């Protein structure tokens, strides 16, 4: 195959969240002159988890013209204001990583600098008291306000989300072929993928292939032999047990992440059920013990059999190689602590669309895509590692190992800068902005030694007034918010579109 062959026929291998999101988005944005086929197996399950998201999901929903109420109805979704981290710093401790901003910042210094001085002078409450999202989560409140000042994401049923995306994709002309991919046929000279042979005997030809086959990475990993950068030394969790349970109480607007002796447990509340799971490292904990943690931690009747999922944290050495782009788990996985995988799926899709090789595959496009995805993935990895590394747990070897391990140079620089100056380095494309790093660093017990000198331009009285004003304004907004589940019910009932 000629590298500069026009790209007309796109083949997506795999129909999990990655496959159907790629199909729906490509078809509805640039699909007019493309012939898009998705091949999925009816025998091989999707990973079946991936139910907590980050706010960027709204961007892809805008592209796909998905109305929020339609979406929440279709996926039995709930709102998510952030994540409650329990036992992560020390046993019994907790903090909230919210999607919102804490207090008001100035051009030179974030709010935490003002808070540090106010706290020193006993004028300020705990840092979390200055985030509306945190207080709303604690009080189980949520609403769309007139000023739209709550930042949020969603919890969703991943199987139902796949169906929603499939419907959009098929409505936009995507053809679905059911069958197991048995063989990937490569072009003798170029080494590009030419076609997929299915167990049904069918041959599926294409110009550009998108590998969404999950952890198997059949196209990029197996056929094109693109290697894997293993991050297990920094992120040793390599397995999870997941189970769905019946809801016993109205859904709260946040994910719970509860640190255990050698791993952690998630709780994701949907309208009709709760998603539960235990993430652990088999080097520190047996599968039997993890299963016991899972079953003792649930508070509702199980609706499914507990399912064991094994993984290796890391990323493919290339995300795009020859005429194959990997999206989703086939390109790597950074464990689910901050619910970032679906975000990385949509980033890969958006980058692929913006660099789409209509006139033929060009190595410059491939390089740009790979650079971007590598950098976004590594930045997210460092943010996840931060939670594990910065803690004072000494009740298990797992936590001692994580505290003492070497982290990336970039993360070490972030930690040193924050500790010494309260400064956060932020890049334009970072998913987690200054406020996220500050909440997690302080939540995990790291307080800067000093605040920015601009804060001292304020008199004690002005600082006191400023801090009081932040508190009263948040309290006022908080009291106007209804209970999350009541708001959700009302919002869904009022919307007649679906
Ligand atoms: P899969 O869901 O595995 O889909 C693979 C597809 O390929 C399937 O359709 C399968 O049938 C098909 N396939 C495979 N082999 C063949 C073959 N030979 N022939 C034909 N078809 C084939 N992400 C988040 O954003 N938030 C979370 O809270 C979150 N939690 C997670 C918790 C855990 C424990 C794990 C492991 C992951 C979590 N993720 C989370 C990640 C999220 O689940 C995935 O990113 C998402 O589901 C996308 O998966 P996928 O489509 O890449 O792969």
């Amino acid at each position: 195959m000629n590298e500069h062959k026009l790209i007309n026929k796109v083949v997506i291998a795999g129909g999990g969240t990655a496959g159907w999101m790629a199909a729906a988005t490509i078809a509805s944005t640039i699909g007019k002159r493309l012939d898009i086929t998705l091949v999925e197996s009816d025998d091989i399950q999707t990973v079946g988890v991936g139910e907590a998201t980050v706010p960027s999901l709204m961007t892809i929903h805008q592209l796909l013209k998905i109305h929020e109420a339609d979406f929440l109805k279709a996926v039995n979704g709930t709102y998510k204001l952030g994540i409650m981290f329990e036992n992560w710093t020390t046993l019994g401790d907790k903090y909230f990583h919210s999607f919102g901003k804490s207090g008001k910042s100035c051009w030179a210094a974030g709010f935490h600098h003002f808070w540090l001085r106010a706290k020193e002078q006993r004028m300020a409450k705990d840092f979390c008291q200055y985030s509306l999202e945190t207080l709303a989560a604690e009080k189980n409140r949520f609403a769309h306000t007139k000023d739209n000042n709550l930042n949020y994401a969603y919890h969703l049923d991943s199987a139902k989300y796949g169906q929603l995306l499939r419907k959009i994709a098929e409505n936009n002309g995507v053809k679905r072929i059911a069958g197991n991919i048995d063989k990937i046929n490569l072009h003798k000279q170029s080494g590009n993928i030419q076609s997929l042979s299915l167990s049904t005997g069918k041959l599926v030809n294409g110009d550009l292939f998108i590998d969404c086959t999950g952890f198997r990475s059949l196209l990029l990993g197996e056929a094109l032999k693109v290697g894997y950068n293993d991050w297990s030394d920094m992120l040793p969790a390599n397995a999870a047990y997941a189970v769905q349970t019946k809801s016993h109480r109205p859904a709260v607007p946040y994910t719970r992440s509860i640190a255990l002796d050698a791993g952690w447990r998630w709780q994701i509340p949907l309208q009709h059920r709760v998603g539960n799971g235990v993430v652990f490292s088999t080097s520190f904990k047996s599968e039997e013990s993890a299963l016991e943690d899972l079953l003792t931690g649930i508070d509702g009747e199980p609706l499914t059999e507990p399912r064991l999922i094994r993984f290796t944290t890391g990323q493919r050495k290339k995300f795009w190689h020859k005429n194959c782009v990997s999206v989703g788990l086939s390109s790597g996985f950074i464990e689910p602590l901050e619910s970032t995988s679906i975000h990385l799926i949509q980033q890969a899709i958006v980058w692929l669309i913006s660099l789409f090789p209509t006139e033929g595959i060009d190595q410059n496009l491939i390089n740009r895509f790979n650079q971007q995805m590598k950098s976004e993935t590594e930045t997210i990895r460092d943010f996840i590692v931060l939670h594990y590394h910065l803690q004072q747990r000494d009740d298990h070897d797992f936590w001692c190992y994580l505290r003492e391990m070497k982290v990336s140079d970039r993360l070490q620089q972030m930690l040193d800068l924050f500790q010494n100056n309260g400064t956060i380095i932020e890049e334009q494309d970072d998913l987690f902005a200054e406020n996220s790093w500050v909440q997690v660093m302080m939540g995990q017990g790291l307080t800067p030694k000093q605040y920015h000198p601009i804060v001292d331009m304020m008199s004690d009285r002005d600082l006191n007034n400023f801090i009081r004003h932040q508190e009263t304004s948040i309290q006022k907004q908080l009291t106007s918010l209804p209970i999350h589940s009541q708001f959700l019910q009302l919002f869904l009932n009022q919307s007649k579109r679906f």
Side-chain angles (χ1 to χ4, degrees):
M1 186 185 133
N2 178 351
E3 293 273 325
H4 287 281
K5 186 180 170 204
L6 291 184
I7 302 294
N8 295 315
K9 202 166 169 16
V10 176
V11 176
I12 299 169
T17 306
W20 284 116
M21 188 180 270
T25 318
I26 296 172
S28 59
T29 53
I30 54 167
K32 216 166 183 177
R33 51 164 297 258
L34 293 173
D35 174 354
I36 308 173
T37 304
L38 185 144
V39 180
E40 71 175 321
S41 162
D42 285 334
D43 309 324
I44 305 170
Q45 271 186 305
T46 61
V47 74
V49 278
E51 307 208 313
T53 64
V54 292
S56 59
L57 194 70
M58 279 172 224
T59 319
I60 209 96
H61 287 183
Q62 276 162 13
L63 282 182
L64 295 173
K65 300 190 174 54
I66 300 178
H67 185 267
E68 188 177 68
D70 295 348
F71 160 74
L72 289 168
K73 280 181 194 172
V75 302
N76 280 335
T78 58
Y79 291 102
K80 172 183 172 187
L81 291 164
I83 305 176
M84 182 70 80
F85 286 95
E86 301 170 37
N87 298 337
W88 276 85
T89 320
T90 53
L91 279 171
D93 206 7
K94 62 176 164 178
Y95 72 92
F96 196 75
H97 171 204
S98 85
F99 293 133
K101 287 215 175 303
S102 304
K104 213 167 154 41
S105 301
C106 86
W107 65 274
F111 173 73
H112 62 283
H113 291 275
F114 296 87
W115 176 84
L116 281 168
R117 182 179 145 203
K119 186 78 182 159
E120 216 173 84
Q121 295 183 220
R122 295 174 191 281
M123 291 173 190
K125 296 184 176 163
D126 285 348
F127 189 66
C128 64
Q129 298 293 316
Y130 300 88
S131 154
L132 177 59
E133 286 78 2
T134 303
L135 297 187
E138 277 175 359
K139 297 253 182 276
N140 190 8
R141 285 169 188 273
F142 184 88
H144 291 147
T145 57
K146 208 163 66 214
D147 312 322
N148 270 339
N149 49 3
L150 275 179
N151 294 284
Y152 63 87
Y154 310 103
H155 299 125
L156 53 87
D157 178 321
S158 66
K160 290 180 187 293
Y161 190 47
Q163 288 158 15
L164 175 70
L165 294 170
R166 176 176 165 184
K167 199 162 131 191
I168 298 170
E170 290 184 326
N171 285 345
N172 281 282
V174 174
K175 293 187 283 286
R176 173 183 183 269
I177 300 179
N180 285 8
I181 302 163
D182 273 355
K183 193 165 165 251
I184 291 132
N185 307 302
L186 304 185
H187 189 272
K188 279 209 179 73
Q189 272 85 47
S190 66
N192 280 314
I193 299 177
Q194 214 167 15
S195 60
L196 309 179
S197 299
L198 307 191
S199 49
T200 53
K202 203 173 167 56
L203 199 66
V204 185
N205 292 299
D207 304 321
L208 180 73
F209 288 81
I210 305 183
D211 185 350
C212 300
T213 57
F215 289 127
R216 291 172 186 82
S217 192
L218 287 181
L219 282 62
L220 194 78
E222 279 190 26
L224 296 183
K225 310 255 176 297
V226 172
Y228 197 71
N229 289 324
D230 185 333
W231 292 337
S232 303
D233 53 342
M234 281 182 266
L235 292 167
N238 59 358
Y241 258 115
V243 71
Q244 297 168 4
T245 54
K246 226 170 165 172
S247 297
H248 270 313
R249 51 184 68 89
V252 292
Y254 57 89
T255 304
R256 279 180 76 193
S257 163
I258 305 142
L260 304 170
D261 55 358
W264 62 279
R265 187 153 61 79
W266 79 74
Q267 245 178 45
I268 298 177
L270 303 183
Q271 288 171 39
H272 61 312
R273 64 159 169 86
V274 180
N276 309 268
V278 164
V279 174
F280 62 104
S281 164
T282 51
S283 309
F284 292 89
K285 193 175 197 61
S286 68
E287 285 174 13
E288 296 71 41
S289 161
L291 181 59
E292 203 181 309
D293 284 345
L294 176 77
L295 297 176
T296 49
I298 54 178
D299 66 353
E301 184 190 319
L303 298 171
T304 51
E305 278 299 311
R307 184 167 168 212
L308 179 67
I309 305 160
R310 288 184 166 277
F311 54 85
T312 306
T313 50
Q315 69 178 3
R316 292 264 150 223
K317 291 193 176 32
K318 292 174 194 165
F319 291 74
W320 182 347
H321 183 54
K322 296 192 176 283
N323 65 338
C324 176
V325 182
S326 68
V327 177
L329 298 173
S330 64
S331 67
F333 183 50
I334 328 180
E335 84 132 88
L337 188 59
E338 283 279 357
S339 335
T340 44
S341 287
I342 298 176
H343 167 81
L344 283 169
I345 291 174
Q346 71 182 68
Q347 286 302 94
I349 297 168
V350 168
W351 275 103
L352 174 60
I353 292 172
S354 61
L355 298 171
F356 199 80
T358 315
E359 299 297 319
I361 292 168
D362 178 328
Q363 193 57 42
N364 288 322
L365 295 177
I366 298 183
N367 294 347
R368 178 75 187 102
F369 183 88
N370 284 334
Q371 251 166 25
Q372 187 64 32
M373 289 310 298
K374 178 177 183 313
S375 136
E376 289 194 31
T377 310
E378 288 179 358
T379 311
I380 292 175
R381 175 204 62 197
D382 286 347
F383 188 64
I384 309 293
V385 170
L386 166 71
H387 300 63
Y388 280 110
H389 181 59
L390 201 61
Q391 35 78 20
Q392 291 108 52
R393 295 268 310 249
D394 50 15
D395 53 302
H396 199 286
D397 289 351
F398 178 72
W399 297 106
C400 301
Y401 166 78
L402 288 158
R403 190 167 50 243
E404 281 150 27
M405 74 183 172
K406 185 171 160 26
V407 297
S408 74
D409 291 346
R410 182 177 180 276
L411 177 56
Q412 194 55 57
Q413 190 190 18
M414 299 277 293
L415 289 166
D416 294 343
L417 266 174
F418 188 70
Q419 180 163 33
N420 295 329
N421 306 292
T423 304
I424 298 291
I425 323 163
E426 225 180 351
E427 306 291 343
Q428 202 197 339
D429 291 321
D430 286 354
L431 168 63
F432 295 108
E434 180 184 66
N435 193 52
S436 284
W437 284 85
V438 171
Q439 289 180 82
V440 175
M441 288 210 201
M442 300 223 291
Q444 294 283 147
L446 185 69
T447 307
K449 288 182 191 150
Q450 58 180 340
Y451 53 81
H452 193 277
I454 203 164
V455 176
D456 281 333
M457 300 302 284
M458 264 184 169
S459 67
D460 286 354
R461 199 167 137 218
D462 285 350
L463 181 65
N464 196 25
N465 287 342
F466 170 68
I467 290 288
R468 288 286 88 76
H469 177 71
Q470 303 297 308
E471 287 167 14
T472 47
S473 121
I474 287 178
Q475 284 302 330
K476 201 168 141 209
Q477 295 175 71
L478 183 66
T479 48
S480 69
L481 296 176
I483 296 293
H484 166 243
S485 54
Q486 290 168 3
F487 171 79
L488 186 61
Q489 211 46 59
L490 201 70
F491 179 62
L492 297 183
N493 290 344
Q494 279 171 355
S495 165
K496 298 191 173 58
R497 284 175 43 109
F498 198 65

